[in-house]
Amino acid sequence: MSTPTRTGTSVSMTVNGEQVDRHVDPRRTLSDFLRRDCGATGVHLGCEHGVCGACTVLLDGRTARSCCTLAVQAQGADITTVEGMADGAELHPLQEAFWKHHGLQCGFCTPGILLTVQELLADNPDPSDEEIREGISGNICRCTGYQFIVDAVRDAAAVLRGEKATEAE
Amino acid sequence: MAERFPSSEPVSGDSRQGDYRHSRVVGASVPRREDPRLLAGRGRFVDDIALPGMLHAQFVRSSEAFAEIVSVDLSEVRAVPGVVAAYAAADLDLRDITALLDRPAHEFVPTAMPVLARDTVRYVGEPIAIVVATDPYAAEDGVEAAVVEYAPREPVVSDLGALAEGAPLVHPEAPRNTLVDVSLFATEGIDALFEAAHTVVEVHTKTGRQNALPLETRGVVADWDDRDEQLRVQTCTQVPHQVRTVLAACVGLAEKQVRVTVPDMGGGFGQKCVVGREEIVAAAAALRLRRPVKWIEDRRDALTAAFLAREQRYAVRAAFSETGEILALDADVVCDMGAYSCYPFTAGIEPLMASAEMPSVYTVPAYRVRGRAVTTNKAPTAPYRGVSRPQYVMVMERVMEKAARALGLDPLEVRRRNLITVFPYTGVNAITYDPGSYRESLDLCEQTLRDEGWFDRRSDGVIGIGFACFSERTGYGSGAFAQRRMQVVPGFDLSEIRMDLDGTVSVTTGTLSHGQSHETTMAQIVADRLGIPYDRVKIVQGDTDRITYGWGSFASRSITIGGSAVAAASVKLGDQLREIAAHLLGGDPAAAVLEDGGVRLEDGRLSFPEIADVAYLRSHLLPKGVGPGLAATASFDVAGDGTFSNATHGVVVELDPGTGGVEILRYVCVEDCGVAIHPQVVEGQARGGIAQGIAGALFEVVRYDDAGQPLAPSFMEYKVPTAAEIPDVRIEHLETPCAFTENGAKGAGEGGTIGAPAAVLNAINDALRHTGVELDDTPIPREAIFRALEAS
């Protein structure tokens, strides 16, 4: 749907394991690129100035605010969005934990928080509650009051460490 | 006294509940049906919708707080590459939005809100023109090319400024900038009570303007469908039918020519329970262009130009006996409602709520109140979670604290002497309170904090403990709204239920879930009534073509009223199933039992698919007088004053003398919302509400400068608390079932937000007790805490 433009430029990247080659405006944000050119509408836009964290994606394995990144800056990158977390119909243990612990209400902030937590647990597989709170303090959730999110992260960490079976209720 | 029983025990207002077995899904925290799609990023929010040939809209908005529009020049806009159209008010000719109260002229001044500003702009951010382009980036380019010439006027930027002698008039028809001015109750002899009283305490408080701040901003996709001859509007709203009515009137279509549907929605909290101007304009543009138009509000507009809330000023006196009994309450409430009345609630929403309900959970024998809504050159306001109750509860809880101090009594003891304990209780405010656990919740909250050892840790200047006792009126039926004298009277809910051939059920609700879990909880209610698993029930919501009429979700009405309508429809469908089964098997329908997906009679059992097979495919076998199909309709309303949830919050804070900072060390919430359909969801509502209440107490405020420019246009200035600021909350449940909702449930959506500001404020004042300083405004300025501690 983008306006044809003479200033367009080519970008290539991998999005959830699929190679994507497109021609885009240089000013097109990565979030718009993912949502509108790649169909990854799980990337949500809550503020478009890098504070709320809803647009968080993994860029070469590290979290990035896709609203404050241009698509052209992600040239050659490997991008994971929330759509890339589940294994087919099988939810990721982190997603299962959020389901079990009511870690989401409206679900709008959830994709960004899931990816933030994925990075957090990769860096620190056994975080304290305080470390979890610190780890997600760059993401705004307006619904939950955060406690059930912290519960979910603690539980998911135990599952991912292999200390506990996934409980898909 | 509160009745207590295990929440697994089903409760129903339906007298026939003993006729069939409940599967007891109500009361269980079953897995939410909403979650798999939302967790996988497969929810469908309004910005996820893309239609062929869709255009994108943005708005030219006022840069002035108060000005005459001299000219709007959109010629440069139309020349911007990608821009397809640009319309100002004169181009679209849309009817104004006007919300009305049935009150005399001295109590209410009706004002019109033009859909696009015509001659006058009344706040920074007011929409003046819509720009429609092939791409959102081009639409923003177009907005920048607009040239608007203003003749600025002196703006009115505060409530006191609005009321001042000789103040400029925001609306010329509203003298003293007053849209609502009611004086209520005025118990005879109240002045004498004050004169004779042992002690009179005063509370003067001002609460900050806040943004309800759903994380998903507002947005709409509209297109004209030639086949259905309909304007299809997919929009972020809590009130789809009201949007349909206003939109149809504004653009001049019949109601049946407008279909409003609501996709997944990223929160609302009240901001989306009024009709927005932008959704009307975007739809009008789609109608004009015969092309789909999408508008997604950006965060700056959401922070400055969306509906705000909560800016109120109270001057309150309360008379007490020597032993701490409240004798009289005299209040003056001024609400700064901003530039326009919202539809359908009007600018009366806040002052009328505060005036009617301020006596709160206390036996106030004499009461007088004046409630006013003033109009200012700020973004208009809408109901926001709690609506005035966070403020008047804060006032009443400060009243109790100040009385205790003045009388040398324990503040919890003063509360106990005044709490309503005999129910039903009809107050001086003419409201009847149904049974609750006011006293019990305070006792348990205090005991919990004592048992945890917090009372031993209280210390001057460092650690303080604060409480808030309150109720939350929920299930506002048409009776309660009619008392407000709204011309449009919300209240009832209507449900249509249908069983299909395979025994699955779909049921409509006029309520609308946007985070509250109704796809799960409403299904639980149906499951119990019919004896089927809850995942065999589909909830149909948010569609004006599929739902006859609905009032949407606000005011904690969904489970109380919507859930009751769903239950009543289920019972009717159950009756049909039993009648058909009894006819086919031989037997008495009254003895038939719905269970395990079928009907059991003495002489056998028929599954729902077997009954549906007859109802639809072999209708010649149906009993005489029973028509084909399996469907029923029921409605529910609350004739009286609604049902009151209640809670006590207890908070422990630690002050930082170096910065004036506040850390919440402990938060205990003892809540009673009657029968919890899904206890985990109730806890989620409470915790989320408490986070928003803490936000109002400590962090969030929309300020304006003297020129009326909003000073918090981004999340860098508008401080939304994160996981680092919001504490864990211990929740204890009490259960006083509601006698007249079908499930014994009371509403649970707003309580957390209502109690938190008062409890936090009281805790801070407790820690400051030795300084003699009392802080009564929110958000509580860190600087004031710092100075109080420094001076001591």
Side-chain angles (χ1 to χ4, degrees), chain A:
Chain A
M1 299 289 294
S2 100
T3 313
T5 165
R6 285 185 296 276
T7 58
T9 182
S10 295
V11 291
S12 301
M13 65 187 85
T14 307
V15 177
N16 297 324
E18 278 186 35
Q19 177 68 28
V20 176
D21 306 293
R22 296 279 192 281
H23 195 72
V24 299
D25 264 1
R27 65 175 174 171
R28 193 168 195 73
T29 63
L30 178 60
S31 53
D32 281 348
F33 178 79
L34 292 169
R35 288 180 51 79
R36 293 167 56 209
D37 296 291
C38 307
T41 52
V43 178
H44 291 164
L45 296 174
C47 72
E48 293 184 285
H49 55 273
V51 180
C52 81
C55 69
T56 302
V57 298
L58 297 181
L59 192 155
D60 292 333
R62 305 304 295 183
T63 54
R65 305 267 146 136
S66 62
C67 76
C68 294
T69 308
L70 296 173
V72 294
Q73 290 177 288
Q75 168 65 31
D78 183 14
I79 304 286
T80 304
T81 70
V82 71
E83 285 92 340
M85 282 186 75
D87 183 6
E90 190 92 352
L91 291 178
H92 186 277
L94 190 52
Q95 293 169 314
E96 288 282 358
F98 270 65
W99 191 6
K100 177 183 166 193
H101 288 280
H102 194 24
L104 66 157
Q105 290 179 23
C106 79
F108 196 77
C109 72
T110 309
I113 291 188
L114 287 171
L115 291 162
T116 301
V117 172
Q118 201 170 27
E119 180 186 54
L120 170 72
L121 296 182
D123 291 347
N124 179 1
D126 191 9
S128 67
D129 280 12
E130 201 172 334
E131 287 168 334
I132 294 169
R133 286 183 173 276
E134 178 69 25
I136 60 170
S137 67
N139 293 71
I140 293 174
C141 168
R142 192 58 164 173
C143 295
T144 63
Y146 303 105
Q147 188 170 335
F148 281 153
I149 294 177
V150 175
D151 291 347
V153 175
R154 192 193 310 114
D155 202 32
V159 171
L160 292 167
R161 289 195 306 272
E163 291 167 14
K164 206 179 157 181
T166 299
E167 292 173 63
E169 284 184 313

Side-chain angles (χ1 to χ4, degrees), chain B residues 558-588:
Chain B
S558 299
I559 283 297
T560 50
I561 297 179
S564 293
V566 160
S570 306
V571 168
K572 280 194 179 175
L573 176 62
D575 288 346
Q576 288 178 25
L577 290 162
R578 292 191 299 185
E579 183 177 0
I580 297 169
H583 173 73
L584 295 172
L585 291 173
D588 180 5

Side-chain angles (χ1 to χ4, degrees), chain B residues 503-517:
Chain B
T504 56
V505 168
S506 61
V507 60
T508 70
T509 172
T511 67
L512 185 86
S513 186
H514 45 284
Q516 298 94 328
S517 322

